[in-house]
Amino acid sequence: MKIDILIKNGLILEFGKKPTINSIAIYNGKILEIGKELEHKYNAKQITDATDKIVIPGFVNTHSHVAMSYFKGLADDLPLQEWLSKHIWPVEGKFLSAEFVEDAALHGCAEMIKNGITTFSDMYFFGDQTAKSAERIGIRAIIGEGVLDLPVANYKNADEIFSYIRKMHDKYMKSELLDFAVAPHAIYTCGKENLIKAKNLAFELGILLHIHISETKQEVEGCIKKTGLRPVEYLDSIGFFEGDVVVAHAIWLDENEQKILAENNVSIAINTSSNLKLASGITSFKSYMEHGINLSIGTDGVAANNNLSFLQEISLIAKLQKALNDDPTILPAKEIIQIATIGGAKALNKSDWIGSIEVGKKADIILIDINNIEAQPMYDPYSHLVYSLTSEQIKDVIINGKMVMKDRQLINIDEKELIEKAKYYQKKIIEFNSNK
Ligand SMILES: [Zn+2]
């Protein structure tokens, strides 16, 4: 039988099994078989030698703003409000256009693949352009179109955004890689009416709702002042959690709010680098886990983070949570890797398809080189993933059964072109800032 790709002799981290040297047959976008000596059984169009490589499911990034990639390092070391109002919003106001988003999203998607991310859930504007770039480079994405009460770059009001989401949902219905989502920005930028409309639309179309919640103390205080309720209680009071919801940040939750999220199967996207860098706060997730809330990991935008290294994010979360709890046994390596993969897939309602290496699932797989000084010796691949390896060691990335990066070179895109484009926009942004 003819197949598309054969991954040969890799150390495969198959779901629910002990890491074992095996081969994977990939056909028609999916994992057809995992076993030994598959090269005798199948005639593969492409064979990838995975000797001395760890083979794991691709990372699922549940909170990003991919088209902010040209704002990486534009302004740092500032409080959130000053950073936004003096630096990010002015350049967004000047530059945001369909063309800019398409270019910036392409750069961001490329950066994600280089960091082993095979699926991302985004929140931004001009989703059609982000979708085009994701499709071109071959990455799986859930494109959350941002909703605010105020006019945004592409729309005058929220109702226009809602009809745009309907249109995009229809347009990409048949895409194997893309879904759309409704992404009300936050409770302080969306009034009750638009939050309810957003929820109703997501519920009607059966798509995801994606919102920032409880990122800062001020947000919580503001909500209590306005509504008498804490943010999660407020959203619950308007029926927001009726559908499938991912909340980003969720740093400042009390006991009752954790119960509400658990009861409503709401997943959290943890964004530790962004939260630390903007000093939004840190929290222990121990109690969240005890309540049974599904956790996943987001990178947030590169303007805040300022990188998309998922391995770095994983390592940081694992170590921070140990320190916060005064307990080195919390979040062992295997558990945090599961949060980064199947936890993300569950959050996005895609755990039947992605998030683990299992026969029948989509082939979203990354190969990591361990034949180097930094990776040797290796006693436990999970330990290495969390504490020793970096993105540079991620060599090959397969998404939906197609190779999108081989030996760290992107297949579907000219990397030189991306770098030139980034330099071109950097020049324009510097010019704009110096004339302000
Ligand atoms: Zn965000």
Side-chain angles (χ1 to χ4, degrees):
M1 180 187 170
K2 264 203 165 161
I3 58 167
D4 298 318
I5 301 176
L6 181 75
I7 301 173
K8 217 175 102 181
N9 300 332
L11 181 61
I12 295 167
L13 272 52
E14 194 179 341
F15 193 71
K17 297 191 178 159
K18 259 177 52 190
T20 311
I21 304 279
N22 256 333
S23 296
I24 302 179
I26 296 170
Y27 176 66
N28 205 12
K30 290 183 189 162
I31 297 169
L32 182 68
E33 189 175 348
I34 303 167
K36 301 221 183 291
E37 301 192 9
L38 298 182
E39 65 267 36
H40 303 306
K41 193 168 167 187
Y42 297 108
N43 177 6
K45 278 189 222 155
Q46 197 175 359
I47 295 178
T48 296
D49 184 9
T51 308
D52 278 327
K53 284 183 176 139
I54 310 176
V55 180
I56 67 164
F59 298 125
V60 180
N61 180 1
T62 55
H63 181 67
S64 66
H65 310 281
V66 71
M68 291 183 86
S69 61
Y70 292 153
F71 306 145
K72 174 168 53 190
L74 177 65
D76 300 310
D77 313 321
L78 296 166
L80 180 65
Q81 280 314 316
E82 187 184 340
W83 175 72
L84 281 173
S85 61
K86 290 206 176 135
H87 299 274
I88 298 301
W89 291 338
V91 288
E92 280 188 335
K94 166 74 184 167
F95 290 98
L96 273 204
S97 66
E99 191 190 352
F100 180 90
V101 168
E102 193 168 335
D103 289 341
L106 195 63
H107 189 101
C109 289
E111 198 170 338
M112 290 216 199
I113 292 173
K114 292 248 162 178
N115 286 291
I117 295 163
T118 52
T119 298
F120 69 97
S121 175
D122 208 58
M123 178 194 287
Y124 210 58
F125 312 108
F126 295 101
D128 196 14
Q129 276 65 34
T130 301
K132 266 188 208 162
S133 291
E135 214 160 40
R136 187 170 156 203
I137 209 158
I139 193 169
R140 200 180 296 286
I142 297 184
I143 317 279
E145 192 69 28
V147 178
L148 287 92
D149 287 349
L150 291 169
V152 295
N154 42 343
Y155 288 101
K156 286 199 289 290
N157 57 49
D159 286 336
E160 283 190 16
I161 299 173
F162 294 136
S163 43
Y164 178 75
I165 295 170
R166 266 180 205 283
K167 226 168 76 189
M168 291 301 116
H169 174 69
D170 284 351
K171 182 172 174 183
Y172 291 97
M173 184 94 81
K174 290 208 176 89
S175 168
E176 288 216 18
L177 290 174
L178 303 169
D179 294 296
F180 265 73
V182 190
H185 171 262
I187 54 168
Y188 54 91
T189 44
C190 284
K192 191 171 159 183
E193 194 191 332
N194 281 331
L195 287 170
I196 292 171
K197 279 185 185 170
K199 187 270 292 181
N200 287 342
L201 178 64
F203 197 71
E204 181 201 325
L205 300 178
I207 59 178
L208 206 69
L209 265 175
H210 181 180
I211 188 168
H212 294 115
I213 197 85
S214 296
E215 182 176 3
T216 62
K217 259 192 231 167
Q218 296 92 297
E219 177 190 335
V220 178
E221 283 158 10
C223 183
I224 293 171
K225 224 171 154 186
K226 223 168 96 187
T227 66
L229 298 167
R230 296 178 64 85
V232 170
E233 295 169 337
Y234 167 64
L235 285 180
D236 191 37
S237 76
I238 61 169
F240 192 81
F241 299 127
E242 201 182 346
D244 296 316
V245 187
V246 177
V247 295
H249 303 298
I251 304 169
W252 303 97
L253 304 187
D254 74 2
E255 179 78 24
N256 186 44
E257 290 179 291
Q258 292 172 43
K259 272 191 201 146
I260 293 172
L261 293 189
E263 276 164 17
N264 289 282
N265 287 320
V266 176
S267 292
I268 294 177
I270 305 168
N271 296 266
T272 298
S273 288
S274 162
N275 299 153
L276 288 172
K277 187 160 168 284
L278 288 160
S280 304
I282 46 173
T283 192
S284 161
F285 293 114
K286 193 177 173 200
S287 151
Y288 294 17
M289 291 187 283
E290 284 165 358
H291 278 91
I293 301 172
N294 180 54
L295 299 180
S296 64
I297 300 174
T299 55
D300 213 351
V302 278
N305 184 317
N306 305 356
N307 64 68
L308 296 174
S309 169
F310 227 71
L311 286 171
Q312 189 178 308
E313 206 63 39
I314 287 166
S315 192
L316 184 66
I317 296 169
K319 286 181 270 197
L320 180 70
Q321 290 299 316
K322 290 170 200 300
L324 277 175
N325 286 285
D326 204 9
D327 177 6
T329 68
I330 194 175
L331 274 186
K334 195 173 175 181
E335 210 173 304
I336 187 82
I337 292 299
Q338 284 175 350
I339 290 175
T341 53
I342 193 76
K346 275 185 196 154
L348 305 181
N349 232 341
K350 288 187 176 295
S351 57
D352 287 346
W353 295 104
I354 59 167
S356 58
I357 296 184
E358 288 178 84
V359 170
K361 276 201 173 181
K362 295 279 187 186
D364 288 8
I365 294 171
I366 62 179
L367 278 68
I368 307 175
D369 184 20
I370 48 166
N371 197 28
N372 48 72
I373 299 282
E374 301 94 311
Q376 291 297 333
M378 188 182 78
Y379 302 100
D380 172 5
Y382 287 103
S383 159
H384 262 32
L385 286 166
V386 180
Y387 303 115
S388 304
L389 301 173
T390 65
S391 289
E392 281 302 308
Q393 286 139 322
I394 299 172
K395 297 295 177 194
D396 306 329
V397 176
I398 295 165
I399 302 174
N400 206 38
K402 293 196 176 71
M403 190 77 73
V404 295
M405 183 171 87
K406 179 85 193 143
D407 285 328
R408 288 206 67 68
Q409 284 301 306
L410 296 170
I411 309 269
N412 302 323
I413 214 92
D414 179 356
E415 292 187 27
K416 276 195 210 117
E417 229 170 78
L418 288 182
I419 295 165
E420 285 313 310
K421 265 268 162 72
K423 287 179 179 169
Y424 162 81
Y425 279 110
Q426 175 216 16
K427 227 171 142 185
K428 289 194 118 187
I429 290 171
I430 289 175
E431 263 170 40
F432 167 71
N433 275 343
S434 62
N435 293 327
K436 254 197 306 198

